[in-house]
């Protein structure tokens, strides 16, 4: 049996795990990311938590063939530098040189949304499928593309940024500095913003009670709870959000015609409350849906484990970065 | 030397050609498509013009290994049926059975925009590149995607419909029945519509003279001519069109990060008048362009030959339809 080491790096936690060749996550551990500290400290902790899971299982390092890492950034294959990890304030960082001080394993870094998509295809809602899109409805709108069971991240491996396609020409401001990105309408953050806007002058809405009369405390769950309670303001907001999301999805469908689209992230936790109206809207808003149908739409199943599993399995299912001179 | 037979089927003409294994178009012929006639008549003419080019070169049929056909539709790989060829009024047509009456060559049908993109990559502006997008700015907005030097048309081979991604959420009506498609803003037809709208109440515009005071006669060249003459109304229209197109392109860039984007079709004939402002706008309107750059943008070089060359070379560079049971 072969074993793979996966590390999912986020702004909040560093989560490591050991995955066997059948994509089973055997053990995982998590420590705070400690954003704000030096590169040396954080990369040292990345190695520490990774080695700790190996030790916990009593495996000798020689049994581990690979260290895959998912990060909220890309490695530029031309330069080998981590392009921009916002949460750590890292820009054009030679992260490989820091990590190699701690391990002689082959290291492979991939965008975390791509890792999550791969994890879901190998061990979750996408099991058995070859062509899958994953959208993560969280702080941002993460996108992952799996083509023929491998991560697809664009010709230079810095693409698949589904959240930064344009949904509303010159529309709302996105955190990326552009206007009208799908992320600015379809993330959990966007849903909350839309609800806050709707609350202005609508203090009779149940949402206003749920957030303790302080709209700054409003979260996505409160919006959906109020919607389920029949609150009219929340209903308008949530169904409008669903319509935005369906239109973003329609663009990805007409390009990729994936077998399945998997939804993860905070908003997806509401399950059928999202899925049922969304499926209807995707049918309505997608070109040629009446003639050739639309893909299945399902909820993610692996939760936070998807990122670890996907990272661990990058050796087999990642894009081939070696041709670009990155170890 | 191997020879390949390519046929580009449009609503106006049926254009056939013989291409050698180095992607040289050796000879071509074209006859009117005769839309409105029966399937038997049109498919018979498709075979006739194709055989004629073989005969002209004095090649025995045994030297031809393949008949590739580009059509303004898709073949559904599950059913083997041509989904919807608007210009002929064909829907769910078993076109293979008609064509096989005329030839025992292996037949392969692909969407015409995909064939044009492949032709440009093999013999035109995309020569030497592996990952290429092509946009055809014509009656519609055609899209072709070449990944790793092969046509990519989505998991079920009915995707790559770049023109029907959403650019303006719930915006202008598209011919496809949806709202806000990129095609409704970026095709030559859209440019003309935008110019006609701008002409209302602006009869002092040079465009009004160029179309003989009859806006129904306005075409894309007149809009660009007026723009080049410094006409303010035309300038507003054309630069707005360029901005729409740049935003559509930005979505494709952040997904695919192609090495190059090739522009074909009527509007592309104006050359640098389009290219120069477009390149500037693509830089402005694309996520992370300042950090990781944007692809090269070039004009198509093969004109109408691209479709013939691409169709002929489908055997080697097409998607593998055989796995879906289509001959």
């Amino acid at each position: 049996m072969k074993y793979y080491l996966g590390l999912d790096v986020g702004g909040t936690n560093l989560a490591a795990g050991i995955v066997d060749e059948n994509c089973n996550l055997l053990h995982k551990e998590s420590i705070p990311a400690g954003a704000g500290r030096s590169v040396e400290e954080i990369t040292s902790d990345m190695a520490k938590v990774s080695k700790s899971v190996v030790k916990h299982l009593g495996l000798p390092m020689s049994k581990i063939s690979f260290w895959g890492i998912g990060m909220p950034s890309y490695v530029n294959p031309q330069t080998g530098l981590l392009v921009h990890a916002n949460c750590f304030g890292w820009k054009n960082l030679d992260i490989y040189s820091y990590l190699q001080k701690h391990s002689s394993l082959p290291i492979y870094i991939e965008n975390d949304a791509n890792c999550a998509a791969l994890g879901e295809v190998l061990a979750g809602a996408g099991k058995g499928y070859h062509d899958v899109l994953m959208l993560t409805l969280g702080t941002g709108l993460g996108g992952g593309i799996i083509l023929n069971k491998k991560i697809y991240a664009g010709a230079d491996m810095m693409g698949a940024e589904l959240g930064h396609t344009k949904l509303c020409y010159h529309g709302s401001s996105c955190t990326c500095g552009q206007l009208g990105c799908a992320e600015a309408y379809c993330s959990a953050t966007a849903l909350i913003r839309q609800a806050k806007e709707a609350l202005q002058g609508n203090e009779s809405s149940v949402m206003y009670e749920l957030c303790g009369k302080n709209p700054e405390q409003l979260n996505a769950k409160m919006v959906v709870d109020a919607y389920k309670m029949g609150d009219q303001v929340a209903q308008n907001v949530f169904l409008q959000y669903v319509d935005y999301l369906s239109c973003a999805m329609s663009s990805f469908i007409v390009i990729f015609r994936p077998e399945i689209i998997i939804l993860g992230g905070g908003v997806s936790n509401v399950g059928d409350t999202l899925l049922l109206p969304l499926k209807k809207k995707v049918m309505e808003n997608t070109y040629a849906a009446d003639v050739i149908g639309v893909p299945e739409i399902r909820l993610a199943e692996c939760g936070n484990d998807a990122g670890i599993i996907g990272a661990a399995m990058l050796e087999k299912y990642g894009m081939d970065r070696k041709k670009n001179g990155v170890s």
Side-chain angles (χ1 to χ4, degrees), chain A residues 215-230:
Chain A
E216 288 312 306
Q217 295 300 315
L218 197 68
N219 62 34
K221 190 178 174 302
M222 292 171 193
V223 181
V224 178
D225 284 346
Y227 161 70
K228 288 202 278 191
M229 289 157 80

Side-chain angles (χ1 to χ4, degrees), chain A residues 124-129 131-135 249 253 257-263 275 278-279 282-283 292-299 301:
Chain A
K127 227 171 158 173
Y129 292 92
D131 293 87
V132 181
L133 294 191
M134 181 160 172
L135 294 174
M249 288 167 70
I253 291 171
R257 302 270 322 147
E259 297 164 288
I260 179 171
I261 298 180
I262 300 173
L263 300 176
L275 269 193
L278 182 62
K279 284 181 180 178
V282 168
M283 270 304 289
I292 52 177
V294 297
E296 222 176 308
I297 304 170
R298 274 199 209 166
L299 302 174
E301 293 173 2

Side-chain angles (χ1 to χ4, degrees), chain A residues 17-36:
Chain A
I18 296 290
V19 176
D20 69 19
E21 61 190 50
N22 298 323
C23 305
N24 297 306
L25 179 58
L26 303 178
H27 174 64
K28 64 176 175 176
E29 292 177 21
S30 176
I31 59 173

Side-chain angles (χ1 to χ4, degrees), chain A residues 61-75:
Chain A
M61 239 344 151
S62 61
K63 279 285 209 180
I64 308 291
S65 51
F66 184 75
W67 190 18
I69 302 175
M71 294 206 67
S73 172
Y74 289 97
V75 171

